[in-house]
Amino acid sequence: AAASRVFAFRDARWVPDPVLEPSAAVRTPQPVPLVIDNGSFQTRAGWASAEPAVPAEPLLRFRSLAARSRGARGGAGAETQVGNDLGSPEPLRWLLRSPFDRNVPVQLELQELLLDHVFQRLGVASQGCVDHPIVLTEAVCNPLYSRQMMSELLFECYQVPKVSYGVDSLYSFYHNRRQNWPCSGLVISSGYQCTHILPVLEGRLDAKNCKRINLGGCQAAVYLQRLLQLKYPGHFAAITLSRMEEILHEHSYIAEDYIEELQKWRSPEYYENNMHKMQLPFSNKLLGSTLTSEEKQERRQQQLRRLQELNARRREEKLQLDQERLDRLLYVQELLEDGQMDQFHKALVELNMDSAEELQSYINKLSLSVEQAKQKILQAEVNIEVDVVDSKPETPDLDPLGSEQSLEDVESINEFEPLFAEEQPEVEKPVAAVQPVFNLAEYHQLFLGTERIRAPEIVFQPSLIGEDQAGVAETMQYVLERYSKEQQAILVQNVFLTGGNTMYPGLKARVQKELLEMRPFQSSFQVHLASSPVLDAWYGARDWAVEHMAREEGWITRKDYEEKGGEYLKEHCASNVYVPIRLPKQAPRTTEALAPSRALTSSAGNPCE
């Protein structure tokens, strides 16, 4: 049982996205909409069409990250990689950039890189523009400036014909709708950066009572990393964010009662039965412990050989440079001997020399340096040859003269044999590998106990990480109290959970427990979990695009963009509420108000007064 709870980190590498060839149904009889779920954690893109030839699932899924390398020194320029082309995020962690601040895109140049990647890999082949309508997700109560910059990017840079904006969690709510749509409900959407409580009445978002908690999967991963790094300081570098996200996705759960669950973990038996061991990568070979003396000597000889080759190469390069300079000086000296004084003086000026004596002095020094360098190179080659000869295995020489030993020499050697009798077996004893005194595999294991519930718990108790915010339960109760009892009863009949951070086991039971505590006695409520919390936002946007492809509802055309500005939004069942910018008009200044200012101006203009 203990061995079955040892889990190895997968450390999966991202596979680069291929360039896809879209089917003919994407462009005929008219270009179909392109659906992009623009999430702060992951971007998902695909086509929206009712044709069977067009896949009804996202064709691209990649992390919303980009990294721009500085380029090799003296080589090509900077290289930009996006999404799955990064391979693995950890080696490039300090180079990674995201266009999002929380869940709002603010770095539009990085957003343009993500859109370029989407259009290129989906095979959008229209010349000079993207002639497909775009369905794009945005944050709840998205700032007008962010939507304005996004519309400017789509209409001015990509020349899209029309675009529609919608909220990802409302698209998921739309995809999981019941038969009696339009319906009401309370949507709890928890993603990578934020958690939202969204009341929906009669199929439309009540934006005035929406609430946001600035906690999500990112903060849980950072908190888990901090806990394990404090617990295992010897593996500080191996406890990476990618591995923490893997632990959250596969080994964490939400406790129905957090205090009661912590009491259970105090039991040694419960700890042993529920603790997960995460195996870090390690090597069985201890450095220097399994190397024999012959292997160490061979390694030293290899290092010495590499140093000798490096020094020889440097000497040859220096010799070549000195030889070229010496040839140049000798050529100038020949000009003096041939009597070409004008060219000789011109050459001296180029060499930054004043006289022929100085030229002769440089020639003598360079000649001596060249000769010394040649001698060193020859000596080094001889030394290398000697080393090669010495490294050959020695064979015993059968010298008839040397084999004749006197009886006195043999007796003198036999006298010293007892002195070395105890040391001789130790010298001839083979070097054995040093075995570790501890289990190396167990040393590289992370024991996950209460960490499995502490990291996801921050959504319900932000005070665990020092955040002065309300949790999901308190925020949900605050939103419900802003409605009448009749509306509260309607909302709690459809509490809908969506988002990647709602996939923890036990979350649904925890929300039911919290509702049971805050609702009146014997009142009813229902909690539903999205069929696919991660992908339902894209599926809902695709459903909406297919149903509204031929309608004008919800679509912002280029004419609307030019007439009403980039922040303009056409509302629909899954969109934000459009609040136009209203600048206060300045009241015209009356003649009575202008008279005192004119009098002051005239009096100030006369210095006598």
Side-chain angles (χ1 to χ4, degrees), residues 187 224 254 353 510:
V187 180
L224 180 60
I254 296 286
M353 295 183 184
R510 176 66 176 272

mmCIF file of all heavy atoms in Angstrom, residues 187 224 254 353 510:
data_model
loop_
_atom_site.group_PDB
_atom_site.id
_atom_site.type_symbol
_atom_site.label_atom_id
_atom_site.label_comp_id
_atom_site.label_asym_id
_atom_site.label_seq_id
_atom_site.Cartn_x
_atom_site.Cartn_y
_atom_site.Cartn_z
ATOM 1 N N VAL A 187 -23.848 31.885 -10.421
ATOM 2 C CA VAL A 187 -22.677 31.282 -11.049
ATOM 3 C C VAL A 187 -21.453 31.563 -10.175
ATOM 4 O O VAL A 187 -21.162 32.715 -9.844
ATOM 5 C CB VAL A 187 -22.459 31.837 -12.473
ATOM 6 C CG1 VAL A 187 -21.239 31.195 -13.107
ATOM 7 C CG2 VAL A 187 -23.699 31.588 -13.320
ATOM 8 N N LEU A 224 1.320 26.574 -2.140
ATOM 9 C CA LEU A 224 1.800 25.197 -1.990
ATOM 10 C C LEU A 224 3.316 25.122 -2.186
ATOM 11 O O LEU A 224 4.011 24.380 -1.476
ATOM 12 C CB LEU A 224 1.073 24.288 -2.984
ATOM 13 C CG LEU A 224 1.455 22.807 -2.964
ATOM 14 C CD1 LEU A 224 1.180 22.197 -1.595
ATOM 15 C CD2 LEU A 224 0.706 22.040 -4.046
ATOM 16 N N ILE A 254 -10.820 19.400 -1.688
ATOM 17 C CA ILE A 254 -11.448 20.361 -0.783
ATOM 18 C C ILE A 254 -12.079 19.601 0.378
ATOM 19 O O ILE A 254 -12.843 18.652 0.168
ATOM 20 C CB ILE A 254 -12.516 21.198 -1.513
ATOM 21 C CG1 ILE A 254 -11.878 22.055 -2.610
ATOM 22 C CG2 ILE A 254 -13.272 22.075 -0.534
ATOM 23 C CD1 ILE A 254 -11.098 23.233 -2.118
ATOM 24 N N MET A 353 54.063 54.874 -36.072
ATOM 25 C CA MET A 353 55.484 54.879 -35.730
ATOM 26 C C MET A 353 56.119 56.172 -36.234
ATOM 27 O O MET A 353 55.621 56.803 -37.183
ATOM 28 C CB MET A 353 56.190 53.664 -36.336
ATOM 29 C CG MET A 353 55.721 52.331 -35.774
ATOM 30 S SD MET A 353 56.634 50.946 -36.461
ATOM 31 C CE MET A 353 55.789 49.557 -35.704
ATOM 32 N N ARG A 510 -18.686 20.876 -0.411
ATOM 33 C CA ARG A 510 -18.364 21.999 0.462
ATOM 34 C C ARG A 510 -19.333 23.168 0.232
ATOM 35 O O ARG A 510 -19.801 23.809 1.189
ATOM 36 C CB ARG A 510 -16.926 22.441 0.205
ATOM 37 C CG ARG A 510 -16.481 23.674 0.983
ATOM 38 C CD ARG A 510 -16.438 23.404 2.491
ATOM 39 N NE ARG A 510 -15.909 24.563 3.209
ATOM 40 C CZ ARG A 510 -14.621 24.770 3.450
ATOM 41 N NH1 ARG A 510 -13.708 23.885 3.023
ATOM 42 N NH2 ARG A 510 -14.221 25.820 4.120
#
